[in-house]
Amino acid sequence: MAVCARLCGVGQSRRCRRRQRNDQQDQGSDSDMDEEEEERIVGQRRSDAGSCGGPGRVAAAAAAATAEPSDACEYGSGHNTNRGGSNTGPPHPESLMELPPELLVEIFSLLPGTVLPNVALVCKKFRQILNTETIWRRRCVEEFGMREDLRKMEATGVSSQDLYVKLLHPYRHILGLWQPDIGPYGGLLNVVVDGLFIIGWMYLPPHDPRVEDPMRRRPLFRIHLLESKKATVECMYGHKGPHKGDIQTVKKDEFSTKCNQTDHHRMPGGRQEEFRTWLEEEWGRTLEEIFHEHMQELILMKFIYTSQYDNCLTYRRIYLPPLMPSDLLQPGLFKGTYGSHGLEIVMLSFHGMSARATKLTGDPNVPAGQLTLDVDLSQPVDLPELDQQRNIDVLSQIILGIHEKVQREVEQPASDTSACVGRAEEETDGAAAEATEVDHGACADACQSGPSGSSSSPEALPFVLPLGVMARNEVYPRTCRKCFYGTGLIAGHGFTSPERTPGLFVLFDEDRFGFIWLELKSFSLYSRLTDHLPHSHAPSMERFEAMLRNMQSWTS
């Protein structure tokens, strides 16, 4: 605190200088400054410092605190190493005000952009220095990842300071991943700094059934400073180009978009032309090419439901799951096949001995936000020989056997559990240690092959789908790493009579897994979404799990 005060020329500086003067007199210094003269000089310095902004001196001291301790002592402590002899060099600055402008620019460039407005309130000199483009250009680069885009922007007459103050900082809270409130269908929105714009990209799965194709993107809105020095929000929905829009922050982790010119969404051919265009973009085909009548009904229902919003939507923040050392594989987003509903996006996360896939996009049967897969990693499945894998009855017998065992464990009375615990406590220390070692080995064997779980890849096992199991994509991996028992969520139209049905979770590699739905006799293949998604990782596992609970309540 004393260092900061002395940098600003206030506080304990008088006392420190009096102490130094007395020490120098004891050492035979020829300084004969009397106390009255020192009082006059100190008073003059305090008056000069006071003209620099009064209470703002505290902010200047905070800025000085960002420097290295050694630098602070050199420039403000008053300890001059040359006092014992002749000092022929320039005097050391005793205040931030005395530092050269180029050094102040470097210091201010290291401060977060959120505190720079407070620094500008200190005095006129600081306010003038904060108009330096170097400071704001560095903030744009370090906080928002902008590089060459800044040069293009400055060529258009928009400064880095305007970009930060009027665009990037005010809208920083909407950057990241969001889920739109579109009933059971949900969605995935990624808001990013894209060139000289902030753009909201809606992510769409590939056309069914090409699950391994890259994601498709569609811009829904953008914000920029191109036409004026004020941030402009534009709706990008429709086929007539950008038009007036608005963004409102409803509450923390939630915002809404509104289109002010919905006539730009209409097409000359009316709803029929709009439906044909939407169908080609959404499914990559015409209605005549879809022969399944039930699938036609589902497609038409989705068009009618989603088009009524006209890009006036509410979005809620979602996070990517954090990576834990024991995870079976890297958690994240995957595209999966869901029969007549097409491809949907799920989020795979790990919770102890459980792997869970939560829907980000959904359908009228199982809506977005619901837990579509729940895999028990403590129940590995050993696949039979390849010829027996083709027999659905053999696989069903294995899975149903594990399912019944798990159900018995869940339904076991609490008294039995207490009795088992009591008996376990009566065992000898050696037997207990041995049992712990065995259990730990089984757990490690079930959970390894994660990013840091083992040093070598597990041996590839032959895999084939049983006869009679329907797969949307006949091209699937013929080898796998591990298999586990799990359950999948099925329900009637309108999410009626939901129930969890047993199935087989198949891990193919780091980027692909599958699930065999025994009751439906169908197979879903999932492939990792590899797009770069900045500002999207959860701060902690607790925040992520709270987000999952809220997501399920949105569509329950």
Side-chain angles (χ1 to χ4, degrees):
M1 195 68 187
V3 172
C4 296
R6 290 194 297 274
L7 275 171
C8 294
V10 297
Q12 302 176 4
S13 59
R14 181 176 63 178
R15 211 162 40 245
C16 292
R17 282 193 286 273
R18 182 182 295 117
R19 187 181 302 113
Q20 293 170 9
R21 180 171 60 84
N22 294 335
D23 293 342
Q24 291 168 0
Q25 288 178 351
D26 295 340
Q27 296 172 3
S29 172
D30 58 356
S31 174
D32 57 355
M33 178 183 298
D34 58 22
E35 188 168 344
E36 292 182 0
E37 182 179 0
E38 182 184 69
E39 290 285 338
R40 179 180 59 80
I41 295 176
V42 170
Q44 180 179 0
R45 287 178 177 172
R46 298 176 78 179
S47 176
D48 293 341
S51 65
C52 187
R57 287 175 291 182
V58 177
T66 62
E68 293 294 332
S70 59
D71 297 338
C73 293
E74 179 181 355
Y75 287 112
S77 63
H79 293 285
N80 192 336
T81 56
N82 294 326
R83 292 231 175 176
S86 60
N87 185 6
T88 59
H92 289 298
E94 296 183 353
S95 166
L96 279 178
M97 293 296 301
E98 300 178 16
L99 293 178
E102 58 271 18
L103 185 55
L104 287 176
V105 168
E106 183 64 23
I107 292 175
F108 294 163
S109 297
L110 298 175
L111 298 177
T114 53
V115 305
L116 293 181
N118 294 332
V119 177
L121 297 176
V122 174
C123 61
K124 182 178 179 180
K125 179 179 180 180
F126 285 7
R127 184 165 60 252
Q128 291 175 342
I129 291 177
L130 284 175
N131 289 328
T132 306
E133 278 292 280
T134 304
I135 298 175
W136 299 100
R137 187 181 298 117
R138 185 167 181 175
R139 290 297 92 218
C140 292
V141 170
E142 293 188 359
E143 296 182 23
F144 298 97
M146 302 190 69
R147 292 291 190 273
E148 297 298 326
D149 299 324
L150 292 174
R151 301 183 183 275
K152 301 177 184 178
M153 174 206 63
E154 293 169 359
T156 64
V158 180
S159 66
S160 298
Q161 182 176 0
D162 285 340
L163 181 71
Y164 187 97
V165 173
K166 299 179 180 179
L167 179 65
L168 299 180
H169 180 70
Y171 290 97
R172 71 193 185 282
H173 61 280
I174 69 170
L175 298 178
L177 291 180
W178 304 83
Q179 186 179 43
D181 184 6
I182 315 180
Y185 298 103
L188 178 64
L189 179 81
N190 187 26
V191 183
V192 297
V193 177
D194 194 333
L196 306 182
F197 302 87
I198 291 179
I199 300 182
W201 293 99
M202 180 67 83
Y203 276 66
L204 305 173
H207 293 141
D208 183 43
R210 299 193 293 270
V211 68
E212 298 194 36
D213 284 1
M215 295 286 289
R216 298 174 295 127
R217 298 192 309 172
R218 177 189 301 164
L220 293 190
F221 63 84
R222 70 179 187 181
I223 316 170
H224 62 83
L225 294 174
L226 296 183
E227 298 177 357
S228 65
K229 291 300 181 69
K230 183 180 179 181
T232 301
V233 179
E234 294 178 330
C235 175
M236 303 290 290
Y237 191 77
H239 300 271
K240 295 183 180 180
H243 46 282
K244 293 182 180 180
D246 190 22
I247 290 180
Q248 296 180 346
T249 301
V250 180
K251 56 184 179 180
K252 180 178 173 58
D253 293 336
E254 186 174 318
F255 76 95
S256 297
T257 58
K258 180 182 179 182
C259 177
N260 297 330
Q261 293 177 295
T262 56
D263 56 297
H264 281 64
H265 305 169
R266 308 283 80 85
M267 302 188 73
R271 298 289 280 178
Q272 291 185 353
E273 183 180 359
E274 293 172 14
F275 174 66
R276 288 195 298 269
T277 304
W278 175 87
L279 182 61
E280 185 175 353
E281 293 177 351
E282 187 83 8
W283 293 84
R285 64 185 78 176
T286 64
L287 194 61
E288 292 75 19
E289 295 173 336
I290 301 174
F291 302 105
H292 198 290
E293 183 177 352
H294 179 59
M295 191 173 182
Q296 291 180 352
E297 294 176 355
L298 292 174
I299 292 173
L300 184 59
M301 184 186 308
K302 184 176 182 179
F303 169 75
I304 295 174
Y305 193 97
T306 58
S307 61
Q308 65 179 333
Y309 287 93
D310 266 338
N311 205 26
C312 299
L313 298 168
T314 298
Y315 299 88
R316 299 181 179 94
R317 182 178 294 280
I318 57 177
Y319 295 112
L320 292 181
L323 174 64
M324 298 299 178
S326 60
D327 289 349
L328 185 66
L329 71 158
Q330 174 81 33
L333 304 183
F334 290 78
K335 308 153 284 183
T337 55
Y338 279 87
S340 300
H341 299 292
L343 299 186
E344 298 184 7
I345 306 173
V346 304
M347 176 186 293
L348 180 69
S349 58
F350 294 90
H351 310 263
M353 294 301 294
S354 175
R356 300 171 185 171
T358 305
K359 281 192 172 186
L360 297 185
T361 61
D363 51 70
N365 291 67
V366 179
Q370 295 301 314
L371 182 62
T372 179
L373 301 179
D374 191 359
V375 183
D376 190 345
L377 300 179
S378 66
Q379 301 294 336
V381 176
D382 293 328
L383 292 177
E385 296 296 331
L386 197 60
D387 55 344
Q388 292 189 344
Q389 290 184 31
R390 300 181 184 275
N391 191 333
I392 185 64
D393 295 331
V394 174
L395 181 62
S396 297
Q397 184 178 2
I398 297 175
I399 300 300
L400 292 178
I402 299 177
H403 181 69
E404 292 174 359
K405 183 184 72 171
V406 171
Q407 292 299 310
R408 286 195 303 269
E409 293 175 355
V410 172
E411 297 171 358
Q412 186 176 14
S415 58
D416 293 347
T417 304
S418 301
C420 291
V421 172
R423 287 194 299 269
E425 292 177 349
E426 294 174 358
E427 295 179 353
T428 61
D429 293 340
E434 182 180 355
T436 302
E437 182 178 354
V438 172
D439 291 340
H440 177 74
C443 176
D445 182 69
C447 292
Q448 69 176 5
S449 80
S452 58
S454 63
S455 58
S456 60
S457 300
E459 181 182 357
L461 306 172
F463 173 80
V464 65
L465 285 177
L467 297 177
V469 173
M470 182 178 60
R472 299 288 295 177
N473 195 334
E474 297 181 358
V475 180
Y476 62 89
R478 293 305 195 269
T479 59
C480 66
R481 293 183 179 180
K482 288 180 177 293
C483 296
F484 297 91
Y485 157 81
T487 59
L489 182 60
I490 61 175
H493 186 82
F495 198 40
T496 57
S497 304
E499 62 173 318
R500 307 210 66 87
T501 180
L504 179 68
F505 176 88
V506 185
L507 175 63
F508 295 114
D509 51 45
E510 283 293 322
D511 297 322
R512 292 177 297 179
F513 65 87
F515 191 80
I516 299 179
W517 308 73
L518 288 183
E519 184 173 336
L520 303 179
K521 291 187 177 181
S522 66
F523 172 73
S524 293
L525 177 64
Y526 300 83
S527 177
R528 185 181 297 277
L529 192 154
T530 58
D531 299 66
H532 176 58
L533 303 173
H535 307 285
S536 58
H537 285 84
S540 64
M541 194 63 184
E542 291 75 15
R543 288 282 297 274
F544 175 76
E545 291 180 344
M547 183 262 320
L548 279 185
R549 291 191 296 269
N550 292 334
M551 186 187 302
Q552 294 175 7
S553 67
W554 299 338
T555 55
S556 296

